[in-house]
Amino acid sequence: MAWQQGPFRFMNFKEWVPDKYRFWVYILFLVAFQFSNGMYFTAMSQMQGEYSLTMNDVKMMSHAVLIGLTLYFPLAFRLKFCFTNRTSLMVAAAGLAVCNLVVPLVDQPFLLVVLGFIAGFFRLYGTFECFSNILPKITPTYNYPVFLSFVFFVVLGVIHVFDAISMQLIYYYDWQHLHWLAIGLLLMVILMAGILMRPFRPMPKMPLLGIDWLGMVLWAIFILSAIFVVQYGYQLDWFHSPYIRIAMGACCIALGFNIARMTYIRHPFLEAAAFRVNNLTNLLLAFLFLAILLASKNTLQNTYTGAVLHWDALNLSTLKWFEFFGSLLGAAFSWYALIRLKWSHKLITFFGFAMILVYVASMYFLVTPYTNIEKLYLPLMCCGFGHLAIFIALTVYIQATAPFKNYFQVLCILGFVRTGIGSPIGDSLYQHGITGLMNRYLSANFTATDAMVATLQELYGYTFIFGIGVLILLAGSRFKKHVKKPIPTLRLLYALANRRRPKEKPVVE
């Protein structure tokens, strides 16, 4: 907080809590929120077998979690200025704990998708409350390249550690123990926040007035319907299925309402100005291409380790550690390149895509029935490195170019691709490729193993060609240089959020 005198102190804690421990309490809260997901990707195969779900069902649930995360962004500061930090942390932890308690008791895909969406919203609610309070401690000068390098390392890098831990827990126990562990961590957050923190307000309370809740629901319907069409299209025979036609109709209708509401709602959930931010189209394409390239790891690599190498969960958990090491190196590299070397965002993004291509090229030569696990360590480190470098570079670029009042809305729009429709498109393309190529090789009298190896090698080859095309497009693109803007303090943030209160003159809602 810019108006504090002397060294920064966390004012949300009671006075008897030592200053040197307050930062680490927030880090402990972050650990709890990052581990608690509502839906656990590492447990999807167990849920699939126990509840008789299809793979598309469990993937749809995981996408719903990510959309819940995405749609929190436009509400971030409205909720922060309405509730105290202690209240927000306790509410987010309680909501996420309830989702973890209910999920193991539900076996209906639609309800699980809804619960996943709610869990994702509460997860980012608690995560944002922690990050927004420790920002001045991490970088007193509000240097966002430093801060975002730390944020994405925690959100995207450390998650590999929790995946490795959860895989081992599932191997020795079962998937429901993940939910009980998450509930225990979240109850710890509630207890510690209630005991150690006080309802401190740095400024007057701002009520939740003028928020376009209907717009949030319509945008959720739009993106989830689009994901449903892409995810289930092949299984349900595309538009021959009434479910696909209904979902596509709901997607188009919701999008039409959202576009229309931008013209007559005073403050819609996503304003038209957010869609006019410089280079937004290029950024959407970059995240789409990244999602397609990363889908090769999620689809092709998982198929290879399962159908060809037959590795168990313990071997797969070992691979997660090397993805974590790659993420750590990617975050450190991005920080050093942006702060010390003053590299452009475009150059760092290009380097990140190049590292992912190193992973793809390596896998092309490693896909054999005789590959040792040690040979996958370096490619996965390159993939984790590139993933973090691209996310950090592009998000710092957005922060430097987008107007602050639209910054979180732009993050939401980009989230529709980077955590929404992008991954299902990649999964669908690779699943189509696996099915078509497997049939071709089996008809040529290949054995099942040889057919799978040849299929995966060919798809990795096509992915490498696609990645080269992405690098060429990126090299020819232009990133508009940004003008350095002052970092807003909490008082300015409050003023920007407070302008969204409806005036006394009635408006159409």
Side-chain angles (χ1 to χ4, degrees):
M1 302 176 193
W3 58 90
Q4 283 192 14
Q5 299 296 324
F8 174 79
R9 296 185 70 227
F10 294 103
M11 306 300 295
N12 299 312
F13 288 86
K14 295 178 180 178
E15 288 300 324
W16 57 267
V17 180
D19 289 347
K20 62 181 179 180
Y21 296 131
R22 298 183 182 188
F23 173 80
W24 296 108
V25 171
Y26 276 118
I27 296 298
L28 185 61
F29 290 170
L30 273 175
V31 170
F33 281 115
Q34 293 311 300
F35 187 87
S36 307
N37 206 27
M39 300 284 181
Y40 298 93
F41 305 154
T42 53
M44 288 302 180
S45 59
Q46 286 75 16
M47 291 182 65
Q48 181 184 358
E50 184 166 338
Y51 291 154
S52 299
L53 302 173
T54 67
M55 182 56 68
N56 287 325
D57 291 333
V58 296
K59 286 183 178 180
M60 188 69 196
M61 297 169 201
S62 65
H63 295 317
V65 174
L66 298 177
I67 295 304
L69 290 168
T70 298
L71 289 177
Y72 169 79
F73 281 115
L75 303 178
F77 280 106
R78 298 302 307 275
L79 294 175
K80 182 173 183 62
F81 293 136
C82 181
F83 305 106
T84 64
N85 184 237
R86 184 182 75 165
T87 300
S88 294
L89 289 171
M90 296 176 70
V91 168
L96 198 49
V98 170
C99 291
N100 275 278
L101 181 64
V102 174
V103 164
L105 307 177
V106 177
D107 59 358
Q108 297 297 319
F110 176 77
L111 294 179
L112 289 172
V113 168
V114 174
L115 286 171
F117 177 87
I118 297 172
F121 185 91
F122 279 120
R123 183 190 177 195
L124 191 57
Y125 186 10
T127 301
F128 180 83
E129 284 296 324
C130 295
F131 277 132
S132 61
N133 280 274
I134 65 176
L135 187 156
K137 188 70 173 180
I138 295 173
T139 168
T141 60
Y142 288 80
N143 191 322
Y144 273 80
V146 174
F147 179 64
L148 291 176
S149 297
F150 175 78
V151 168
F152 281 109
F153 171 67
V154 172
V155 174
L156 298 177
V158 177
I159 194 64
H160 295 306
V161 175
F162 299 128
D163 286 344
I165 295 172
S166 63
M167 284 179 177
Q168 297 193 26
L169 186 64
I170 293 171
Y171 183 83
Y172 290 109
Y173 299 97
D174 61 65
W175 66 273
Q176 295 183 355
H177 281 77
L178 286 177
H179 293 271
W180 296 118
L181 178 59
I183 291 172
L185 291 173
L186 293 168
L187 291 178
M188 177 200 67
V189 171
I190 296 173
L191 183 63
M192 292 183 66
I195 294 175
L196 302 178
M197 305 181 78
R198 62 191 177 105
F200 172 78
R201 289 185 181 279
M203 55 194 65
K205 177 181 178 180
M206 185 183 70
L208 295 177
L209 299 176
I211 294 179
D212 184 16
W213 297 106
L214 178 58
M216 177 182 176
V217 174
L218 289 173
W219 281 112
I221 293 173
F222 159 71
I223 190 61
L224 288 174
S225 299
I227 292 174
F228 180 89
V229 171
V230 176
Q231 192 67 60
Y232 287 89
Y234 184 76
Q235 175 183 335
L236 300 178
D237 199 15
W238 294 103
F239 291 100
H240 293 287
S241 168
Y243 298 106
I244 296 296
R245 294 197 296 268
I246 292 172
M248 195 65 200
C251 177
C252 295
I253 293 172
L255 179 61
F257 273 114
N258 283 318
I259 294 174
R261 287 166 61 82
M262 289 181 188
T263 62
Y264 66 87
I265 296 296
R266 183 186 297 276
H267 296 295
F269 189 76
L270 296 178
E271 298 178 356
F275 291 90
R276 295 193 292 265
V277 171
N278 292 324
N279 264 3
L280 180 63
T281 302
N282 291 342
L283 294 173
L284 289 171
L285 288 175
F287 280 120
L288 176 61
F289 296 154
L290 174 63
I292 294 174
L293 290 172
L294 291 177
S296 67
K297 181 177 71 71
N298 299 327
T299 303
L300 300 184
Q301 180 184 304
N302 290 343
T303 302
Y304 172 56
T305 56
V308 178
L309 299 179
H310 306 290
W311 288 349
D312 59 16
L314 293 181
N315 285 315
L316 297 178
S317 66
T318 302
L319 297 179
K320 289 292 181 180
W321 287 103
F322 287 88
E323 291 186 60
F324 165 73
F325 294 142
S327 301
L328 176 60
L329 293 175
F333 165 78
S334 300
W335 168 82
Y336 189 77
L338 288 169
I339 303 300
R340 302 296 185 185
L341 301 180
K342 303 297 182 181
W343 283 10
S344 67
H345 306 94
K346 175 180 173 179
L347 180 58
I348 298 173
T349 303
F350 186 93
F351 194 79
F353 273 108
M355 293 299 288
I356 293 178
L357 274 191
V358 171
Y359 160 79
V360 174
S362 300
M363 292 302 296
Y364 176 82
F365 295 103
L366 292 175
V367 175
T368 69
Y370 315 105
T371 299
N372 296 326
I373 190 172
E374 292 82 4
K375 294 181 180 180
L376 298 184
Y377 292 166
L378 184 58
L380 285 173
M381 289 180 65
C382 293
C383 187
F385 182 102
H387 188 187
L388 259 291
I390 294 169
F391 260 74
I392 292 171
L394 293 184
T395 307
V396 171
Y397 176 77
I398 298 163
Q399 184 276 329
T401 56
F404 183 79
K405 65 178 181 179
N406 300 124
Y407 172 58
F408 285 93
Q409 295 182 2
V410 173
L411 288 181
C412 181
I413 295 169
L414 294 174
F416 289 159
V417 172
R418 67 182 181 182
T419 58
I421 197 68
S423 181
I425 290 175
D427 289 341
S428 180
L429 290 174
Y430 288 117
Q431 289 295 341
H432 279 283
I434 291 174
T435 302
L437 292 175
M438 277 292 291
N439 291 335
R440 190 180 77 184
Y441 285 115
L442 289 174
S443 64
N445 297 324
F446 279 61
T447 64
T449 300
D450 290 340
M452 181 58 73
V453 169
T455 295
L456 295 176
Q457 283 182 334
E458 187 167 345
L459 289 175
Y460 270 119
Y462 292 146
T463 304
F464 182 79
I465 296 172
F466 172 75
I468 293 296
V470 172
L471 289 181
I472 294 173
L473 290 175
L474 184 61
S477 64
R478 297 182 61 187
F479 277 40
K480 181 179 178 181
K481 293 184 178 181
H482 64 274
V483 178
K484 188 174 182 180
K485 305 186 294 291
I487 301 300
T489 63
L490 285 182
R491 292 190 186 277
L492 178 57
L493 297 181
Y494 181 82
L496 289 172
N498 195 39
R499 63 179 286 275
R500 298 187 64 164
R501 292 189 185 184
K503 296 180 179 180
E504 295 183 359
K505 182 179 179 180
V507 296
V508 178
E509 293 289 341

